[in-house]
């Protein structure tokens, strides 16, 4: 069984500040990990993914995440927040080569203050 | 990445009726998934629909309530039957297969009165 925990349902940062969204996972098999973003009234867009290999992965819009197996974490960061980053962010895990179905965290709403 | 469309984009339905949601993909895909996103909540997988086989439902979801069709590799439908206000949600389809990530449609926003 897999699960995802996102700490902080709401995160507020100032424009230009560091963005840090936390994600911890539980998986009985080597996980594939994902971050998705959902803008208001839209579907989900893939930000980045980790499958194997390099543990620091870079995604779109300046976001990156680091897979830390020892901490079972996959936190999302961005050095400098932009107003357009305001959205809902979801961390998700899949069982890789298995069913491929995604288990989502509860989501974190990012607010960016001017 | 695949381009996915859903119809309708939103609907308001009366209690006791049914709504069928269509999901169309611009390329052939092996795996299609249906998710529900209740108001202010995360996404929950309803079922996996693979062409040529019966849909596989997650715990808490049954075929009588959420019948799914997958007639070919580019299309699927989800019906939400015997609607109640608790069914008010966003329903999203996604596709996967050759790549590990899933691509999502824009969602169908259902309101049940």
């Amino acid at each position: 069984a897999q699960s995802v925990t996102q700490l902080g349902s709401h995160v507020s940062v100032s424009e230009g500040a560091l963005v840090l969204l936390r994600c911890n996972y539980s998986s009985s098999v080597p996980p594939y990990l994902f971050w998705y973003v959902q803008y208001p009234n839209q579907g989900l867009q893939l930000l980045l993914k980790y499958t194997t290999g390099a543990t620091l992965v870079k995604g779109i819009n300046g976001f990156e995440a680091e897979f830390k197996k020892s901490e079972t974490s996959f936190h999302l960061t961005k050095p400098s927040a932009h107003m357009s980053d305001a959205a809902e962010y979801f961390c998700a895990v899949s069982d890789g080569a298995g069913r491929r179905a995604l288990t989502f965290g509860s989501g974190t709403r990012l607010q960016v203050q001017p | 990445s695949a381009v996915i469309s859903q119809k309708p984009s939103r609907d308001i339905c009366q209690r006791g009726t049914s709504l069928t949601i269509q999901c169309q993909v611009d390329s052939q895909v092996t795996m299609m998934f249906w998710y529900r996103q209740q108001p202010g909540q995360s996404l929950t997988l309803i079922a996996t629909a693979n062409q040529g086989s019966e849909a596989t439902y997650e715990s808490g979801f049954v075929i009588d309530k959420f019948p799914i069709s997958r007639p070919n590799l580019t299309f699927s439908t989800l019906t939400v039957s015997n609607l109640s206000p608790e069914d008010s949600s966003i329903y999203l389809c996604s596709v996967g297969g050759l790549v590990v990530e899933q691509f999502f449609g824009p969602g169908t926003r259902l309101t049940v009165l």
Side-chain angles (χ1 to χ4, degrees):
Chain A
Q2 301 164 291
S3 65
V4 177
T5 301
Q6 290 184 241
L7 294 176
S9 58
H10 290 81
V11 170
S12 182
V13 301
S14 299
E15 191 173 20
L18 171 72
V19 175
L20 171 60
L21 304 182
R22 299 179 184 275
C23 172
N24 288 88
Y25 70 91
S26 172
S27 178
S28 57
V29 298
Y32 288 2
L33 294 159
F34 308 85
W35 276 99
Y36 285 86
V37 60
Q38 186 178 35
Y39 298 101
N41 301 313
Q42 295 187 27
L44 273 68
Q45 180 182 6
L46 179 69
L47 276 177
L48 49 78
K49 65 181 178 184
Y50 169 80
T51 56
T52 60
T55 56
L56 181 64
V57 293
K58 296 184 184 298
I60 61 172
N61 302 337
F63 285 94
E64 62 182 36
E66 185 171 11
F67 170 63
K68 292 187 176 181
K69 184 177 180 180
S70 61
E71 299 177 8
T72 60
S73 69
F74 190 57
H75 302 330
L76 182 70
T77 61
K78 182 175 181 178
S80 177
H82 192 272
M83 297 295 290
S84 61
D85 294 327
E88 187 88 20
Y89 291 81
F90 293 98
C91 182
V93 61
S94 84
D95 60 357
R99 287 190 311 131
R100 305 273 189 94
L102 294 174
T103 300
F104 284 86
S106 55
T108 298
R109 181 167 299 277
L110 176 65
Q111 291 181 312
V112 182
Q113 306 291 340
Chain B
S1 64
V3 177
I4 305 160
S5 61
Q6 287 185 232
K7 290 182 180 180
S9 59
R10 59 179 61 228
D11 206 342
I12 301 173
C13 299
Q14 296 298 318
R15 184 194 302 257
T17 64
S18 298
L19 177 69
T20 296
I21 302 168
Q22 299 179 2
C23 180
Q24 179 75 54
V25 191
D26 69 341
S27 58
Q28 293 184 338
V29 293
T30 53
M31 294 180 172
M32 296 184 78
F33 305 88
W34 287 98
Y35 290 84
R36 181 177 72 183
Q37 186 177 23
Q38 294 177 300
Q41 303 294 316
S42 185
L43 284 78
T44 301
L45 180 65
I46 298 171
T48 303
N50 293 330
Q51 197 268 338
S53 62
E54 295 292 322
T56 302
Y57 290 83
E58 298 299 302
S59 176
F61 298 95
V62 295
I63 187 171
D64 289 348
K65 176 68 174 178
F66 298 98
I68 288 171
S69 76
R70 180 79 198 274
N72 56 52
L73 291 175
T74 64
F75 187 78
S76 177
T77 66
L78 168 73
T79 299
V80 188
S81 304
N82 190 23
L83 290 168
S84 68
E86 293 71 34
D87 295 320
S88 296
S89 298
I90 299 173
Y91 293 86
L92 299 103
C93 70
S94 71
V95 302
L98 294 180
V99 294
V100 298
E101 63 266 37
Q102 291 181 24
F103 300 100
F104 285 80
T108 296
R109 185 179 296 272
L110 169 62
T111 302
V112 183
L113 302 178

